[in-house]
Amino acid sequence: MRAAETSRTRAFLRALPALLILGGALYEYCTPSGFSGAPLFSAAPLVAAPFFSLGSTVLTGVCSIGAIAAVHLRYSHAFHTDVITEMVTVATVCVLACFINRLVRRSDEQLASARQIAEAAQYAVLPQPAGRIGGLAIAARYEAAQAGAFIGGDLYAVQDTPHGVRLVVGDVRGKGMGAVAAVAVVIGAFREAAEQENSLEAVAQRLERALAREGGRRRGIDDFEGFTTAVLAEIPHGSGPDGVVRVLNRGHPEPIVLFDDGTARLVRPEEAALPLGLGELGAWPDRSTEAPFPAGATLLLYTDGLSEARDARGVFYDPAARLFGRIFPGPEELLATLAEEVRQHTGGGATDDMALLAVRRP
């Protein structure tokens, strides 16, 4: 809905210079010679400057001056002083509009360059996983709440290890470069620990220590976001058609297992645990939860940008309830459907980034 309104607004703004010239011409044509449409003629190139090229801005100014000349030929074949003054005024405004156009174009180029750098940084920190890892079909998606934004605090990673395919989805508190630094630390520590540690519990402890170490190193230098909700998952190799998935949850939204008959099941932790980076507030053993993950099932991990998306009445999007009874051809189609439904649910006004990771056992 908002996208359609934005499109209509842009179309109107692009047509506005021509409408202003036409309005000025009609005003001068329909009123006595003492009345001037200079404000409308002057506004036309100013409106065109941010939305059109330099050539189009100049053409708009020329058309404004031409309209003044054409209308005043109604009264006489010679231009009086007031007409010349009006044309000079519009020409001066047109020159100013050209300067505005160049400034706007330069700012757009700088913004485009910054977005390219941000996108490259995002892909470097958060690369797209392969479509197939360890015999499993994988799909990942990052949806930024702000259009054109790439860097945020949501994260995901998939690693094929001797212990099985291991996954992490997390959400760092905060935004900006501090959050990106925490994302890089969590993903780097996860990839190393996933290869070396025998259990998800040990992997979680490695992530906890990595965040504490990095937070101590950065304290007093710059901001570092050390509070990260995360869910770790492990799908063992060679478990056959009646497979399992092990999940360890650190204060994160609960993953969902979608079965091939359309049923959906939340994987709830046996005991609540604090997010990563809050180990100084308390310590207790991590415990993973085991859930069925048979052939044809899909494991969905996500951040709270999905489960806390609200509509105009403040109602949350409930992924488990929305997905129950539905069957998707693959993980890509599942994530595409979720992204579209969240856009419809929020009316295009999502307030938080959303990371989605889906894994299907063929």
Side-chain angles (χ1 to χ4, degrees):
M1 185 180 297
R2 291 191 179 185
E5 292 177 356
T6 301
S7 178
R8 287 194 295 268
T9 301
R10 289 179 177 175
F12 172 74
L13 290 174
R14 289 187 174 276
L16 187 56
L19 295 175
L20 288 170
I21 295 173
L22 180 61
L26 290 174
Y27 179 81
E28 292 212 356
Y29 186 82
C30 297
T31 56
S33 59
F35 292 84
S36 173
L40 296 175
F41 290 123
S42 300
L46 287 175
V47 173
F51 301 103
F52 294 90
S53 65
L54 178 61
S56 298
T57 302
V58 173
L59 180 61
T60 302
V62 170
C63 290
S64 294
I65 297 172
I68 294 172
V71 170
H72 281 279
L73 288 176
R74 169 199 177 196
Y75 299 105
S76 66
H77 295 288
F79 295 135
H80 299 291
T81 303
D82 56 344
V83 179
I84 296 175
T85 301
E86 184 178 346
M87 295 171 68
V88 170
T89 300
V90 174
T92 303
V93 172
C94 182
V95 172
L96 293 175
C98 291
F99 281 109
I100 293 173
N101 178 272
R102 296 320 301 157
L103 290 175
V104 170
R105 290 293 169 264
R106 189 174 300 171
S107 298
D108 288 344
E109 291 171 359
Q110 292 174 346
L111 180 59
S113 177
R115 284 179 174 174
Q116 289 175 353
I117 294 171
E119 185 176 5
Q122 177 78 6
Y123 290 148
V125 174
L126 199 64
Q128 191 76 5
R132 200 168 187 84
I133 299 176
L136 303 172
I138 309 289
R141 195 179 185 107
Y142 192 103
E143 293 282 332
Q146 183 179 359
F150 293 97
I151 293 182
D154 291 12
L155 63 97
Y156 53 74
V158 184
Q159 188 89 352
D160 191 9
T161 75
H163 316 285
V165 176
R166 287 178 168 174
L167 314 97
V168 64
V169 168
D171 188 359
V172 176
R173 177 181 62 88
K175 301 290 182 182
M177 296 310 298
V180 175
V183 168
V185 168
V186 171
I187 291 180
F190 168 77
R191 294 199 182 281
E192 181 180 3
E195 290 283 347
Q196 298 175 355
E197 301 295 345
N198 292 326
S199 66
L200 284 182
E201 290 80 0
V203 173
Q205 289 303 311
R206 285 278 289 271
L207 300 185
E208 183 78 51
R209 291 194 295 271
L211 283 171
R213 183 170 57 249
E214 190 69 11
R217 185 178 72 83
R218 289 174 176 265
R219 191 167 292 119
I221 302 175
D222 54 8
D223 293 332
F224 181 77
E225 307 291 354
F227 165 14
T228 303
T229 67
V231 60
L232 301 166
E234 175 185 279
I235 303 170
H237 290 308
S239 53
D242 298 324
V244 297
V245 58
R246 301 186 186 100
V247 175
L248 191 150
N249 198 320
R250 280 296 200 100
H252 198 77
E254 297 158 347
I256 304 171
V257 176
L258 306 173
F259 298 95
D260 60 0
D261 61 357
T263 57
R265 171 185 171 183
L266 287 167
V267 184
R268 303 183 185 277
E270 296 180 1
E271 184 177 348
L274 289 173
L276 296 169
L278 296 180
E280 59 187 19
L281 300 181
W284 57 83
D286 282 307
R287 289 190 177 90
S288 61
T289 301
E290 195 169 278
F293 191 54
T298 301
L299 175 68
L300 174 64
L301 303 97
Y302 52 92
T303 56
D304 59 9
L306 176 68
S307 55
E308 295 185 3
R310 301 189 188 198
D311 63 11
R313 298 170 297 170
V315 178
F316 289 113
Y317 180 90
D318 186 347
R322 292 292 192 98
L323 295 174
F324 192 89
R326 301 167 69 180
I327 299 174
F328 299 89
E332 284 284 358
E333 292 81 1
L334 168 62
L335 299 192
T337 299
L338 287 172
E340 179 60 29
E341 288 189 357
V342 167
R343 277 192 290 270
Q344 293 177 359
H345 185 75
T346 60
T351 58
D352 196 6
D353 293 353
M354 177 174 64
L356 305 172
L357 181 62
V359 183
R360 184 174 187 175
R361 183 189 294 278

